[in-house]
Amino acid sequence: MLITIPELLSKSEVAAFRAELDKAQWIDGKATAGEQSGAVKRNQQIAEGSPLANKLGDMVLDALARKETFVSASLPLKIFPPLFNRYQGGEHFGTHVDNAIRIVPGTPVRVRTDLSMTIFLSEPEEYDGGVLVIEDNYGTQEVKLPAGDIVLYPSTSLHHVTPVTRGARVASFFWLQSMVRDDGERTLLFDLDSSIRALASEYGTNDPEVVRLSGIYHNLLRRWADT
Ligand code: NI
């Protein structure tokens, strides 16, 4: 399921990211692409593992950990260190599927990519084009969000980014391995958790039916999760 979450980053946090990124050194985005995706990828990135990518990546990880909706929707087991990209002057990324396995640079850690994420760091009015187009089970979805918002989508999806014909589209992107590999099971858990939170706010966390539903949530998670 495709999920968008508003305001992962506040506007002042976005401004702090942009102050660093707008004066940074950018390299060819093919550096992290596989063979097929490399052939259709035209953009720029901050070098993987550079001090700036590490610093800003850690700030993204802090923001993710604070956002309950993100944790509930993704159930993260391993998060690949966030990267940063920029499209301008007609740059785009043709149709591809993200690599299934990513090795965290400089470590033996392998991350199976269950979910792909983009955090928008440019406001939609700053650029033309740059739409993230995702083909999922329910058809084609077009995503272009306010700065600070995040989209999560199954890494199994074919997707592309349309050419940026004015201005610049700056974003953070990364992948994660979820405790729950199956997208359908993960979606059920997210829906159940969202309903339990709504019921708990109306009837209290110790309402007997809220307690019973919380038990069902945890017993499903116990059944489906890898740790
Ligand atoms: Ni991709």
Side-chain angles (χ1 to χ4, degrees):
M1 187 179 51
L2 184 150
I3 298 165
T4 61
I5 302 173
E7 294 171 13
L8 175 78
L9 301 172
S10 67
K11 296 299 181 193
S12 64
E13 287 172 316
V14 169
F17 275 87
R18 285 295 298 276
E20 302 255 26
L21 289 169
D22 289 351
K23 62 175 194 227
Q25 193 180 352
W26 293 81
I27 63 165
D28 190 332
K30 289 190 199 313
T32 57
E35 193 174 338
Q36 187 274 328
S37 57
V40 294
K41 187 174 186 183
R42 304 278 182 280
N43 69 1
Q44 307 153 57
Q45 284 176 199
I46 301 295
E48 198 175 14
S50 66
L52 180 62
N54 290 344
K55 176 182 151 189
L56 298 182
D58 285 346
M59 289 164 63
V60 169
L61 293 176
D62 287 345
L64 297 173
R66 288 197 304 266
K67 198 73 171 177
E68 268 179 5
T69 330
F70 174 79
V71 175
S72 173
S74 65
L75 298 168
L77 179 59
K78 295 185 225 173
I79 302 180
F80 192 88
L83 296 167
F84 299 87
N85 63 12
R86 182 170 70 182
Y87 297 77
Q88 57 187 17
E91 288 175 324
H92 61 278
F93 198 159
T95 302
H96 65 283
V97 166
D98 295 341
N99 288 354
I101 307 291
R102 292 253 161 203
I103 298 173
V104 179
T107 77
V109 177
R110 290 163 191 259
V111 178
R112 185 188 66 229
T113 58
D114 295 325
L115 283 170
S116 300
M117 269 65 57
T118 297
I119 303 169
F120 290 78
L121 296 173
S122 298
E123 296 294 355
E125 313 81 71
E126 288 181 62
Y127 59 100
D128 289 336
V131 179
L132 172 61
V133 181
I134 301 164
E135 296 175 27
D136 79 1
N137 298 340
Y138 304 103
T140 299
Q141 317 258 351
E142 298 196 346
V143 183
K144 183 169 177 174
L145 301 175
D149 291 13
I150 183 172
V151 59
L152 299 68
Y153 57 98
S155 301
T156 50
S157 315
L158 280 169
H159 57 278
H160 67 273
V161 177
T162 65
V164 172
T165 54
R166 178 187 62 86
R169 175 196 192 269
V170 179
S172 176
F173 67 103
F174 59 100
W175 306 270
L176 68 76
Q177 180 171 338
S178 176
M179 288 187 283
V180 176
R181 178 181 196 152
D182 182 80
D183 187 63
E185 291 172 351
R186 197 184 323 109
T187 301
L188 283 173
L189 287 168
F190 179 53
D191 287 345
L192 180 55
D193 188 43
S194 304
S195 289
I196 292 169
R197 284 173 198 275
L199 290 170
S201 74
E202 189 157 348
Y203 299 106
T205 47
N206 289 319
D207 175 85
E209 297 308 324
V210 170
V211 171
R212 190 193 301 272
L213 284 170
S214 301
I216 293 169
Y217 175 84
H218 283 282
N219 289 333
L220 286 172
L221 186 57
R222 207 184 319 277
R223 192 171 275 247
W224 291 336
D226 300 314
T227 55

